[in-house]
Amino acid sequence: MTDPDDDIARTLKIAETLRAHLAPLWQAYWDQWNGLHPLPSILSTHLCRESSHAALRALEAAGHEGWQVQAGAVSLFNYVDVPLDVTNLDGANEDDSIEEAAHTWLVNEALGIRLDLTADQFGQVDTVVIEPLDAGEDYIDLLDEVDWMDDPDISDVVDQWTTGPSYDETVEVLKSLTPAQMVSLAL
C-alpha cells in the first residue's frame, strides 16, 4: 500500500502535466468561437467534461490505473464572487443566482483521491483541486441522474485533444510519474 501523501504528491505532478497540455487547448477552443461566444475570464470554464475525458484518456495511455470521470455538480452555496461566465447561463438574468453548477472531475477510489482539473472556473482556487474523496462537501455525485455526458461534440473535442505531438509528449511524461520516480523527485 502506498503512502497517501505520496499519492497526493504524485497526483499533483500528474495534474500539472495535464494542465500544461490542456491550457493551450482551452485557449484554442475559445478562439474558434470568437465572436459567437464571449471569451470567459477563466479559460477552463465549461470545459470540464472535455478536460476530464481527455485527461482520463492520457492517464490510461500512460498506464495509470483506477481513474474514472465523475459526473455531478458543485455546490456554489458557500462560494463568493463566482464568475458570471459560470452563473449567467443562457436565458438567465444577471440577478439570478444558481446554487449548483453541473461539473465533472476525476476520481481514483483505490487512492481515495479527487482530481478536479477545472476547479479554477468557479473562482475559488487558482488551479486544480486534489483532495481526499471524503473532503469535498461541495462535490455532489449525480452520476445516475446526468443526461449530458454522451454529447457527440464532446467526443469530437476529446479526440482532437488526444492526438498529436503535444498529447504524445504528455503521455510520455505521465508514464515517468511512477511512485518510484516520485521518490527520486523528493530526494
Side-chain angles (χ1 to χ4, degrees):
M1 183 168 190
T2 62
D3 180 347
D5 290 337
D6 290 342
D7 292 334
I8 296 283
R10 183 164 53 111
T11 303
L12 178 58
K13 291 287 187 187
I14 288 168
E16 290 169 350
T17 301
L18 291 168
R19 288 270 303 200
H21 173 69
L22 292 169
L25 298 171
W26 295 332
Q27 180 69 54
Y29 177 89
W30 288 112
D31 285 348
Q32 81 179 2
W33 295 106
N34 191 13
L36 297 175
H37 298 287
L39 186 69
S41 59
I42 300 169
L43 293 177
S44 66
T45 300
H46 301 303
L47 294 176
C48 57
R49 292 175 290 173
E50 295 87 340
S51 299
S52 295
H53 283 281
L56 179 62
R57 195 174 288 180
L59 288 165
E60 288 174 343
H64 291 270
E65 297 178 357
W67 290 99
Q68 59 187 5
V69 173
Q70 183 72 54
V74 169
S75 170
L76 302 176
F77 183 73
N78 292 317
Y79 286 20
V80 295
D81 299 325
V82 177
L84 285 177
D85 300 322
V86 171
T87 60
N88 193 13
L89 303 173
D90 291 337
N93 296 322
E94 192 169 319
D95 295 336
D96 288 349
S97 64
I98 59 174
E99 293 181 8
E100 61 187 42
H103 192 50
T104 61
W105 55 91
L106 295 167
V107 297
N108 188 311
E109 292 196 23
L111 299 176
I113 295 175
R114 173 181 297 105
L115 170 57
D116 186 346
L117 293 166
T118 61
D120 59 326
Q121 71 180 297
F122 301 111
Q124 309 306 296
V125 296
D126 291 333
T127 186
V128 300
V129 166
I130 300 169
E131 63 186 8
L133 288 174
D134 60 2
E137 65 272 358
D138 293 333
Y139 288 84
I140 304 163
D141 175 9
L142 300 172
L143 189 58
D144 296 333
E145 302 168 31
V146 174
D147 63 356
W148 42 261
M149 285 299 290
D150 295 326
D151 185 333
D153 291 337
I154 292 170
S155 296
D156 291 344
V157 171
V158 171
D159 288 345
Q160 292 171 18
W161 289 3
T162 56
T163 58
S166 173
Y167 172 73
D168 294 340
E169 291 170 17
T170 298
V171 169
E172 289 305 311
V173 171
L174 291 172
K175 285 179 182 178
S176 74
L177 295 176
T178 64
Q181 175 69 14
M182 291 308 299
V183 169
S184 68
L185 288 173
L187 298 177

